Amino acid sequence: MRPLYRFYWLLFRSVFTLYFRWRVHGENHIPQSGPVILASNHASFLDPPLVGSAARREASYLARESLFRVPLLGALIRSINALPVDREGKSPRGLKSIVARLAEGKPVVLFPEGTRSLDGCLLPARSGVGLAVAKSGAPVVPVRVFGSFEAYSRKMWLPRPRKISVVFGQPIRFDETIEAARAQGKARMKAVYPEISERIMASIASLELPKS
């Protein structure tokens, strides 16, 4: 990790340990090298730093383009590898940035649901993560965060000291699915994006907290 990234990584881990009594399970499922998509559920603003801090590799994230224009905040999120994304989906810039980062052999944190859940329940996956997988060929590690909605939902002004856990699942590869779809032409290739996204979301939903 770069020194500045490691500083924030350690800072967030300390806060999550002291304030949220967090637990991390299955982090050994993250490949130690090479590209990987860490695909997580999304119920809170806490989720990006939770997933990134739980991973022991320097990762990249997506953030709304407007945040990069906020003084100080823009500089901060750039320092932790945030990539600008168009929330309206009108620009391919976000996808190109993701694929470029993966091509460099780096991890990227993505949220298949595309937005935070209003009630803490899982939302249907959007096709964007499937498109990123198809374009990059990167393996996917499903991630499920438990407790972040109770700790800091959309309706809360400040985070509450609730227990949070991050669970990483086994890596999933879609090489055969992608190759088969590519051989059948553009129409089939386009149709496979939401299918991959749905499989990823199902894998996230299947993750459970280890019994203590």
Side-chain angles (χ1 to χ4, degrees), residues 5 9 32 42 49 51 104 108 134 161 178 187:
Y5 185 97
W9 183 80
Q32 295 184 3
H42 197 11
V51 176
E104 295 171 0
V108 175
I178 296 168

Side-chain angles (χ1 to χ4, degrees), residues 10-85:
L10 291 170
L11 177 63
F12 279 121
R13 286 179 68 89
S14 298
V15 171
F16 295 149
T17 298
L18 297 173
Y19 194 74
F20 298 109
R21 296 173 295 140
W22 80 330
R23 293 290 184 272
V24 179
H25 307 274
E27 64 267 38
N28 58 304
H29 291 152
I30 302 173
Q32 295 184 3
S33 61
V36 61
I37 293 173
L38 305 178
S40 174
N41 63 308
H42 197 11
S44 169
F45 272 133
L46 296 172
D47 298 330
L50 278 166
V51 176
S53 298
R56 295 184 179 275
R57 292 180 61 189
E58 183 172 339
S60 296
Y61 314 79
L62 293 180
R64 294 197 311 270
E65 285 182 326
S66 58
L67 296 179
F68 289 82
R69 296 191 290 270
V70 178
L72 298 181
L73 178 60
L76 170 61
I77 60 178
R78 283 190 182 90
S79 70
I80 56 173
N81 301 332
L83 304 170
V85 62

Side-chain angles (χ1 to χ4, degrees), residues 161-196:
R162 301 291 189 266
K163 189 172 182 179
I164 294 176
S165 296
V166 183
V167 180
F168 293 92
Q170 295 280 357
I172 310 168
R173 296 211 66 108
F174 294 92
D175 301 25
E176 293 184 3
T177 300
I178 296 168
E179 287 304 315
R182 186 174 288 122
Q184 295 177 50
K186 292 183 179 180
R188 174 56 189 149
M189 193 64 190
K190 187 174 182 180
V192 86
Y193 303 153
E195 293 176 12
I196 292 175

Side-chain angles (χ1 to χ4, degrees), residues 77-205:
I77 60 178
R78 283 190 182 90
S79 70
I80 56 173
N81 301 332
L83 304 170
V85 62
D86 174 18
R87 288 294 295 274
E88 300 300 322
K90 297 178 181 179
S91 170
R93 181 181 178 186
L95 175 64
K96 290 181 179 179
S97 298
I98 293 168
V99 173
R101 223 33 93 81
L102 292 168
E104 295 171 0
K106 298 177 180 179
V108 175
V109 177
L110 296 179
F111 298 97
E113 297 157 292
T115 188
R116 287 171 293 152
S117 170
L118 291 172
D119 57 6
C121 296
L122 299 179
L123 300 173
R126 298 184 180 180
S127 60
V129 67
L131 178 57
V133 172
K135 293 293 185 182
S136 68
V140 178
V141 171
V143 189
R144 189 160 182 182
V145 180
F146 294 89
S148 65
F149 178 80
E150 291 75 15
Y152 195 27
S153 70
R154 283 175 179 258
K155 298 180 181 180
M156 296 179 189
W157 286 98
L158 294 172
R160 297 175 181 176
R162 301 291 189 266
K163 189 172 182 179
I164 294 176
S165 296
V166 183
V167 180
F168 293 92
Q170 295 280 357
I172 310 168
R173 296 211 66 108
F174 294 92
D175 301 25
E176 293 184 3
T177 300
I178 296 168
E179 287 304 315
R182 186 174 288 122
Q184 295 177 50
K186 292 183 179 180
R188 174 56 189 149
M189 193 64 190
K190 187 174 182 180
V192 86
Y193 303 153
E195 293 176 12
I196 292 175
S197 297
E198 289 169 7
R199 287 174 57 185
I200 292 171
M201 204 66 217
S203 297
I204 294 172

